[in-house]
Amino acid sequence: MYKLILADDEEDVREGLLGLIDWEGLGYVVLETAENGKEAVELVEKHAPDVVVTDIQMPFMNGLQLSEWIRERYPATKIIILTGYEEFEYAQKAIRLGIDEYILKPFSARELAEILRKVKLQLDEEMAAKENVQLLTEHYRKNLPILQSLFLSSLVSRRLQEAEIHEKCEHYDLDLSGDRYMVSAIRIDSVPARRGLDESEASGKSTTLSLKDTNDTQLQLFAVFNIAEEIASLHPKCRAFIHHDEVVVLSVGEPGSDKPLADQTLRLLDEIRFSVERFLKLSVTIGAGSEVGQLSELSGSYEEAVKALDYRVILGGNKVIWIEDVESRQTDPLSLDEMKEKELVRCLKVGSDQELVHLLEELFKALTDTKASYQDFQVYLLELLTAVIKVAKDIRVDFEKLFGDGAGFLGQFIKFSHADEAKAWFLDICMKLKQSIATDRQSSYNKLVDEAKEYIKAHYGDHDISIAKVCQHLHISTGYFSNIFKKETKTTFVNYLMGVRMDAAQDLLVTTDLKAFEIAERVGFADPNYFSFCFRKKFGISPKEYRIGARSS
């Protein structure tokens, strides 16, 4: 069923259309009706309907103004204009506004039903185009291998966040779950230029051109990839893909496996090297990187694999070269990388408590997983503290409140003898800082809303007061202000302004002898009739009836 709102200032027309047309049979549900354009705006904001059926001539806001407002804010909503012959000029203008259909009065229920059927067909077609999941899914599946290969290339090209990697693995239907990972790079050895003709060519006998005799390096690379992929597919979760001018193999260690991943990978790589030489008559050199514990570290393993290939100059080609065989493995100095620091800053400013705890667990796990010296341990803690202090300084946090009297936080490093002690201290400091940031933000929100309320209180009598004017006064964007105002006041700016105006109108009705149109003018209504309409809608009685009732009590 498509949602529909009907707007017409004549009650008998509204009731007649509701009764004469089989809305459900046509595929619609009439949510509500409006008797003027202003009321229709409120209903459109409330329901975001699929279709609006509106008369042109209505009080407070006519059908063309309503249509222009809808087109600007809800471009997907279909609009059907009801118009008389004398308003045909307006109807032509409506078409230029992008009105979907119009129908001339007087019209029969059958004529409107035909228009509604036509609009429904348009909606059905648009819906079908949006929801053609089967076609999109089929197209996606056809391209999935390419997308997977591109994603795997990105894993070895740059360092990605673990959360992003796992999300994309799920998205691309890749199971890379494991406890160890290793990247290897296969490079085709150059073939020496041939001199003269071999014996068969010299004798004039026909020969079959082999792959190594071609100059098509891309064809050779693809042939090597086919062999690598076929062999890799026999090993759980192992993946082969082309990256730049190399074939890359990603090995994944199964959790709980008692077989070292490096041993399995090196045997697999030697099988690939042997098969390429046997079936393609090509020789390849394969560089293998070190094992890493996380997918986000694959780029490091790949860099080591490429570094291992450089040893081909010394060791010769047609070999598998493992970086740990040719270079003494030195532990990388323990340091807080830029990505982790940015993640810490994000967690402090906008993350949840759970995210912050999880990140600190991860950051301090680096201390327990490496055999860092005591000096490295202190430097790492200092890097962490520096990141926290930067955030505290940016928001002007009182250091004594954060670190305690005297702010002798540097002395803490001498006392820490174990990573767990440091972690508990950092967690306490980070939670305090996070709470301080949240409190300051809430205070800023409260101050902003209070300033907006003061401005509204001082200017509600202006006919042209708007959310844009308030935001201009506060020097903020309307989108940002709208979200904050609604969150803090539990109502929209328009409703709040209306409430202030109605409260003021109540007070003037009781305490003055001003006429209704004068009160309307004072509280910001350019149209006295619209003021009376809004007043009756809010309080259920007219301004005059309210004054009589208030003074008689």
Side-chain angles (χ1 to χ4, degrees):
M1 291 287 180
Y2 293 111
K3 299 181 293 184
L4 182 143
I5 285 174
L6 175 63
D8 197 299
D9 61 330
E10 297 181 40
E11 186 176 1
D12 56 338
V13 173
R14 295 196 305 272
E15 297 301 324
L17 290 176
L18 289 175
L20 291 172
I21 291 179
D22 179 12
W23 297 96
E24 288 191 13
L26 292 170
Y28 297 94
V29 54
V30 181
L31 299 174
E32 292 190 63
T33 61
E35 56 185 281
N36 60 68
K38 289 271 191 181
E39 192 175 4
V41 164
E42 294 176 12
L43 295 179
V44 171
E45 282 192 317
K46 179 180 177 182
H47 298 292
D50 300 299
V51 181
V52 173
V53 179
T54 178
D55 189 17
I56 282 188
Q57 293 298 345
M58 293 188 297
F60 311 135
M61 176 188 275
N62 66 38
L64 292 183
Q65 292 169 325
L66 171 63
S67 300
E68 192 170 0
W69 182 90
I70 292 172
R71 272 289 161 266
E72 184 179 339
R73 292 165 178 80
Y74 300 90
T77 298
K78 303 294 182 186
I79 303 172
I80 301 174
I81 289 284
L82 309 177
T83 179
Y85 283 106
E86 68 277 6
E87 299 161 352
F88 188 70
E89 241 181 87
Y90 295 110
Q92 289 178 314
K93 181 184 176 184
I95 293 172
R96 290 196 297 274
L97 282 174
I99 304 306
D100 298 280
E101 294 291 339
Y102 70 93
I103 185 168
L104 294 175
K105 293 180 178 179
F107 56 84
S108 65
R110 182 182 59 81
E111 290 174 315
L112 180 55
E114 283 301 316
I115 293 291
L116 290 166
R117 285 192 189 93
K118 185 176 178 182
V119 170
K120 182 180 180 296
L121 283 175
Q122 295 174 14
L123 287 166
D124 288 343
E125 288 174 2
E126 290 173 8
M127 190 67 70
K130 289 178 183 177
E131 295 184 354
N132 195 349
V133 179
Q134 186 176 358
L135 182 62
L136 288 173
T137 302
E138 186 62 29
H139 180 70
Y140 180 76
R141 282 177 180 167
K142 285 180 181 178
N143 289 280
L144 190 57
I146 299 172
L147 295 172
Q148 288 175 337
S149 181
L150 290 172
F151 170 60
L152 290 170
S153 285
S154 70
L155 279 181
V156 300
S157 299
R158 61 186 190 278
R159 190 181 177 96
L160 302 176
Q161 298 230 18
E162 283 292 322
E164 181 186 356
I165 293 171
H166 292 305
E167 181 184 340
K168 289 188 175 179
C169 280
E170 186 175 347
H171 189 66
Y172 294 135
D173 194 26
L174 277 171
D175 180 10
L176 299 181
S177 56
D179 59 359
R180 304 298 294 168
Y181 302 92
M182 186 170 166
V183 181
S184 309
I186 305 172
R187 191 175 293 171
I188 300 172
D189 295 332
S190 57
V191 179
R194 298 171 65 198
R195 296 181 181 177
L197 301 176
D198 61 24
E199 190 176 318
S200 61
E201 290 172 323
S203 63
K205 295 178 182 177
S206 107
T207 58
T208 303
L209 190 66
S210 69
L211 193 61
K212 73 173 183 178
D213 295 323
T214 71
N215 293 320
D216 193 338
T217 56
Q218 291 303 309
L219 180 61
Q220 292 176 348
L221 184 67
F222 186 70
V224 172
F225 163 70
N226 280 335
I227 288 179
E229 184 181 42
E230 185 177 344
I231 295 172
S233 66
L234 301 176
H235 298 260
K237 300 180 184 178
C238 190
R239 299 275 176 174
F241 56 96
I242 294 175
H243 177 65
H244 296 161
D245 290 327
E246 298 163 348
V247 174
V248 176
V249 176
L250 169 60
S251 308
V252 181
E254 291 281 5
S257 174
D258 56 352
K259 298 177 182 178
L261 179 62
D263 291 350
Q264 296 179 61
T265 301
L266 294 174
R267 284 196 297 271
L268 178 148
L269 297 177
D270 206 49
E271 185 180 353
I272 292 173
R273 183 202 61 77
F274 175 77
S275 297
V276 168
E277 184 178 28
R278 178 183 178 187
F279 296 110
L280 303 182
K281 311 304 180 190
L282 292 172
S283 77
V284 293
T285 301
I286 307 176
S290 300
E291 291 183 21
V292 293
Q294 292 186 314
L295 288 166
S296 58
E297 299 170 336
L298 289 181
S299 57
S301 182
Y302 172 71
E303 286 175 6
E304 290 184 332
V306 173
K307 195 187 297 183
L309 285 172
D310 292 339
Y311 284 86
R312 180 173 56 175
V313 177
I314 300 171
L315 303 175
N318 199 21
K319 288 181 176 63
V320 175
I321 305 172
W322 188 25
I323 191 67
E324 296 199 16
D325 285 338
V326 293
E327 290 191 359
S328 58
R329 187 121 186 245
Q330 294 181 350
T331 305
D332 291 332
L334 189 63
S335 65
L336 180 67
D337 66 49
E338 184 182 358
M339 185 178 293
K340 291 296 183 186
E341 183 177 346
K342 286 181 179 178
E343 181 64 12
L344 177 59
V345 173
R346 187 198 70 79
C347 282
L348 287 170
K349 290 184 175 180
V350 296
S352 65
D353 289 354
Q354 187 178 1
E355 284 180 304
L356 181 57
V357 170
H358 178 75
L359 178 62
L360 285 174
E361 289 283 353
E362 190 178 332
L363 290 173
F364 277 89
K365 188 174 184 292
L367 286 172
T368 55
D369 285 354
T370 58
K371 295 178 181 178
S373 66
Y374 183 66
Q375 184 179 358
D376 287 342
F377 170 73
Q378 288 184 316
V379 170
Y380 185 71
L381 293 183
L382 191 58
E383 287 178 336
L384 280 174
L385 183 62
T386 302
V388 172
I389 289 175
K390 282 180 185 176
V391 177
K393 186 180 176 184
D394 287 344
I395 64 168
R396 295 178 174 84
V397 168
D398 186 336
F399 275 34
E400 286 195 2
K401 288 183 180 178
L402 188 61
F403 296 105
D405 292 341
F409 45 85
L410 291 177
Q412 292 289 338
F413 290 95
I414 303 172
K415 300 176 184 177
F416 295 139
S417 59
H418 194 273
D420 287 342
E421 294 176 15
K423 181 173 68 175
W425 184 79
F426 266 97
L427 180 59
D428 179 60
I429 296 298
C430 287
M431 283 298 183
K432 284 181 184 176
L433 179 55
K434 186 173 177 297
Q435 182 59 45
S436 179
I437 292 171
T439 302
D440 287 349
R441 185 183 295 119
Q442 186 60 50
S443 175
S444 173
Y445 288 170
N446 293 340
K447 184 180 177 183
L448 197 64
V449 171
D450 287 343
E451 287 180 11
K453 287 180 177 179
E454 286 298 318
Y455 185 87
I456 293 169
K457 187 177 179 181
H459 297 85
Y460 68 84
D462 298 346
H463 298 160
D464 59 348
I465 186 174
S466 65
I467 192 169
K469 281 202 166 186
V470 175
C471 292
Q472 187 177 3
H473 171 72
L474 298 174
H475 305 293
I476 57 174
S477 68
T478 54
Y480 177 68
F481 173 73
S482 295
N483 289 333
I484 291 174
F485 192 85
K486 190 169 184 179
K487 180 181 177 183
E488 296 300 313
T489 64
K490 309 303 183 209
T491 187
T492 64
F493 171 81
V494 172
N495 288 338
Y496 182 82
L497 174 62
M498 183 64 74
V500 171
R501 285 173 165 171
M502 290 295 105
D503 290 344
Q506 279 182 290
D507 184 58
L508 290 171
L509 285 168
V510 174
T511 60
T512 72
D513 292 324
L514 292 172
K515 298 187 182 304
F517 75 87
E518 293 174 313
I519 291 175
E521 176 74 19
R522 285 203 181 186
V523 299
F525 285 87
D527 185 344
N529 292 325
Y530 186 55
F531 164 70
S532 297
F533 171 81
C534 292
F535 193 93
R536 180 182 289 277
K537 184 177 179 182
K538 182 172 178 65
F539 299 110
I541 56 176
S542 69
K544 183 178 179 181
E545 291 168 335
Y546 181 86
R547 171 176 276 167
I548 293 170
R551 291 186 174 180
S552 63
S553 59

